[in-house]
Each structure stands twice: as structure tokens, then as C-alpha cells.
Amino acid sequence: MDRWINKVAVVTGASSGIGVATCKALVEQGMIVVGLARRLDKITTQIRPLLEERHQKNFHAYKCDVSNEDSVKATFSWIIEKFGGIDVLINNAGMLVYNTYLISPDNSEAIRSTVNTNILGVVWCTREAYRNMTERKFDGHIININSIVGHTLADSSGLNIYPSTKYAITAMTEVLRQELQTHNSKIKVSSISPGEVKTKLFGQNYEYPADMPLLAPEDIASAIVYCIQTPSHVQVHEMIVKPLGEKI
């Protein structure tokens, strides 16, 4: 990780779950981390208490709605002005309106907000990060947090458009790899697809079955650290991480 010491990592969806664990892991690896989320207070209260005092100066929270293109543009401009650029981007922000169905009446807002966050949010953030990395001639790394349901479908009832957005991320990661290659870029792109992770994706009050195999958010943060520290000639294109015993 020596290459990344004092480099800038931007983590979207930083107010809970994988985002919190990733911010903590990257700060502890010596990076300057900017955590983005729609609720600024939630980022700060979730992450700062987890950091040792010596690491706290390297963590910064900023309010950003990744589903809003103007918000993303303004946020990335601020990051560039304050820190000089973006070296690593973790596209982690995602949402699921659980127990809403594609055929449900009046589901427009739930479907639209999921698509805008899970797909377009990744597009807007990736575009802005790529532009800055290219202008600075820096070979950075873009990581998309995908899902096992972006590759295979088991019982997806109640997940509505969510699996479709993750299939889009699978395709988008490959398209981006090809685009970077076409432009002779050495920027890396990786997709990490977790199985079931114990987060609040299904809602604050959702209780996982006691016997259900689960990953912890820290497991995915460790996978991210592994991906970005590979040698310059190694690109982890797709990593699927499942809890032992998962049936999907």
C-alpha cells in the first residue's frame, strides 16, 4: 500500500455498512479519505468514533447526492480544489426499496431513485474521477461495489429493479475497461460482488435469519484494500465474495 500513502480516496455511500468500513480501512492504510453521503451528520457520527486520533485528520466528510449530476459535479470540484485530485474512487452508494415489486402500483419513485443512485450515480462519479485522473496523468483505480445478484438470480422477489441495476454494473465495468484500453489509459477498474452482507440495505428494522451465512462490511473493505494494492500489471476485474455456506 506504500503507493497510496497520502493519496486521496473518495468513498460514496459512506454513512453506513460497507462505506463506513471502507473509509476506516483506507484511512488506516495511510490514505486521505473523503466520505460522501446525503446525510453529513450521519457520516461523521458513524466513522469518526471508529478512528484513532492520529488518523482523524485524514478523514473528511462531504454532503453529496450521487443520483444528482449537479451535486456530483460540485462535490468533485470541491475535492479537487481542496486536495488536488482523486486517486481512488469507490463507487459504493446503493439503495434498495425492499418489498416493492416491479408490478406494484405507484412504484415510480422507488424504481427511479434506485436506478438514479445505483446506475447513474456510478456513471457521474466515474466520469468526474476519470477526467481528473487523466488531467493529472495519474494511474488511479476505480472500484464498483456490485453484488452477487449482478451475476445470478435466485429468489429475487421483492428486490424489484435492484438486481437489474447490479447487472448494469457488471456490464458497465467491462465497458469501462474497454474504454480505458481504447484510450491507452493505465487507470484500473474493478468490480467487487459481495454475497449477503450484514448491512441496513433492507431497512433499519430488518432482521436477518439467525442461521443465515453473512459477510461483515469489513470483509468487503479488506477486498477493496487487496484490489488497489496489486502490482501495476495486475487488474482484478471481478471479485465475487460469498459467506461460507451461502446458497445463491
Side-chain angles (χ1 to χ4, degrees):
M1 286 290 290
D2 289 351
R3 175 183 184 230
W4 299 111
I5 292 176
N6 292 324
K7 298 298 185 186
V8 178
V10 176
V11 181
T12 70
S15 61
S16 64
I18 294 171
V20 169
T22 299
C23 289
K24 181 176 184 291
L26 295 181
V27 166
E28 290 176 346
Q29 291 291 335
M31 298 192 74
I32 297 168
V33 176
V34 182
L36 307 181
R38 286 176 292 186
R39 287 186 54 185
L40 190 61
D41 59 326
K42 198 172 179 184
I43 312 176
T44 303
T45 57
Q46 289 291 321
I47 297 175
R48 287 204 180 278
L50 301 177
L51 301 176
E52 295 180 26
E53 187 174 349
R54 63 192 175 101
H55 291 311
Q56 290 189 7
K57 68 181 186 300
N58 283 338
F59 175 71
H60 307 268
Y62 199 83
K63 183 178 179 179
C64 179
D65 179 358
V66 299
S67 71
N68 184 305
E69 184 179 5
D70 290 337
S71 178
V72 171
K73 285 181 176 180
T75 297
F76 278 70
S77 293
W78 176 83
I79 294 169
I80 292 165
E81 181 179 352
K82 185 170 180 64
F83 301 103
I86 299 103
D87 302 311
V88 172
L89 170 64
I90 313 296
N91 283 311
N92 168 68
M95 67 173 296
L96 163 66
V97 182
Y98 186 52
N99 275 338
T100 296
Y101 297 83
L102 294 175
I103 55 177
S104 296
D106 301 319
N107 64 1
S108 303
E109 181 54 35
I111 299 299
R112 186 179 295 111
S113 58
T114 303
V115 169
N116 287 345
T117 299
N118 296 7
I119 300 178
L120 292 181
V122 175
V123 175
W124 308 145
C125 293
T126 298
R127 182 188 66 194
E128 297 305 304
Y130 167 77
R131 182 172 61 85
N132 177 255
M133 291 175 189
T134 302
E135 288 174 352
R136 293 163 46 235
K137 296 181 171 58
F138 184 81
D139 299 334
H141 202 139
I142 297 165
I143 292 184
N144 296 329
I145 302 303
N146 197 340
S147 170
I148 189 64
V149 299
H151 302 273
T152 184
L153 297 177
D155 181 8
S156 296
S157 180
L159 300 185
N160 59 82
I161 203 70
Y162 181 82
S164 301
T165 65
K166 292 305 183 179
Y167 266 83
I169 295 302
T170 300
M172 192 189 305
T173 302
E174 173 57 17
V175 170
L176 182 57
R177 185 191 70 82
Q178 293 182 24
E179 288 186 358
L180 292 170
Q181 193 172 52
T182 298
H183 287 79
N184 297 313
S185 174
K186 300 298 184 184
I187 296 170
K188 295 182 183 182
V189 57
S190 303
S191 167
I192 298 178
S193 296
E196 198 67 67
V197 185
K198 191 174 184 179
T199 66
K200 298 298 183 181
L201 181 65
F202 292 96
Q204 291 295 322
N205 299 320
Y206 181 81
E207 294 289 339
Y208 289 92
D211 60 346
M212 187 177 196
L214 293 169
L215 296 166
E218 291 75 14
D219 299 323
I220 307 307
S222 295
I224 290 168
V225 171
Y226 170 78
C227 284
I228 67 173
Q229 69 179 337
T230 53
S232 59
H233 68 286
V234 176
Q235 177 171 244
V236 177
H237 180 67
E238 177 64 53
M239 180 188 292
I240 295 176
V241 185
K242 295 184 180 185
L244 187 66
E246 184 173 73
K247 298 185 184 302
I248 298 177

